[in-house]
Amino acid sequence: MTAITGVERSRGATIGLGVLIGLAGLVLLVWPAATTFVLVSWLGLAIVAYGVYELITAFTGAGDRSRLWAGIIGVIAIIGGAAIFLTPVMSSMTVGLVIGWYWIVGGVFGIVAAFVEPGNRIVRGLIAALSVIAGIVVLAQPGIALVTLVWFSGAWMLAAAVIMVISAVFGRRQTVVAA
């Protein structure tokens, strides 16, 4: 295995990523209902496609036990994906709650990592704190979790984009050390 050490982050790449994240955030803020409907529908279709893949694996794979499990998973995925696709509003509320918890847990771990790991702690801590706040807001408003999720996703993405661009323009170069 080869180790990669001392790879510098490109300011241009960070700015570009920040701009793309900001544009995606704007789309979420301007068209929340349409964006949510499309995302949940695509999620349902993707799960159906995964189920079909698993069924194909069940009929063409090797080994009796793995084929049985692939078949079971395939059927469950097709049923679940179809349910999501056919009931996007109800499904999106559930997806919203799952994402709310994901943001809280991921944000807490991000805050801890910002204190423990070196390099750009303030920026990482701010983005992680935004994640926790967005997750709390989504969970606090279960009746409007869908709209809240989309608006806060857009706001989070815009804030993260601004922080990324500012840190790339005015920050020191960071070196990423990976093994």
Side-chain angles (χ1 to χ4, degrees):
M1 180 179 259
T2 307
I4 302 171
T5 58
V7 177
E8 287 193 19
R9 293 183 187 183
S10 164
R11 288 180 189 224
T14 302
I15 291 169
L17 179 61
V19 169
L20 288 175
I21 290 172
L23 289 174
L26 281 174
V27 168
L28 291 174
L29 289 172
V30 173
W31 296 295
T35 304
T36 303
F37 183 78
V38 169
L39 290 175
V40 170
S41 297
W42 275 102
L43 175 65
L45 288 175
I47 294 171
V48 168
Y50 173 72
V52 170
Y53 170 81
E54 287 294 329
L55 281 179
I56 291 170
T57 300
F59 289 108
T60 62
D64 291 336
R65 288 174 58 128
S66 64
R67 291 174 58 165
L68 174 64
W69 285 113
I72 292 170
I73 291 168
V75 169
I76 291 170
I78 290 171
I79 292 169
I84 290 170
F85 183 76
L86 296 173
T87 60
V89 174
M90 185 171 40
S91 298
S92 60
M93 295 273 298
T94 303
V95 169
L97 294 174
V98 169
I99 290 174
W101 279 108
Y102 170 77
W103 278 350
I104 291 171
V105 173
V108 167
F109 280 110
I111 291 169
V112 170
F115 282 106
V116 175
E117 297 172 359
N120 226 354
R121 291 180 172 158
I122 294 173
V123 172
R124 291 185 303 135
L126 286 172
I127 291 172
L130 285 171
S131 179
V132 171
I133 292 167
I136 290 170
V137 170
V138 168
L139 293 179
Q141 298 292 328
I144 58 169
L146 174 61
V147 176
T148 305
L149 171 66
V150 173
W151 284 339
F152 275 91
S153 294
W156 179 87
M157 291 172 83
L158 282 174
V162 168
I163 292 169
M164 286 176 72
V165 170
I166 289 172
S167 71
V169 171
F170 297 108
R172 291 179 284 159
R173 287 195 170 254
Q174 295 290 321
T175 300
V176 179
V177 178

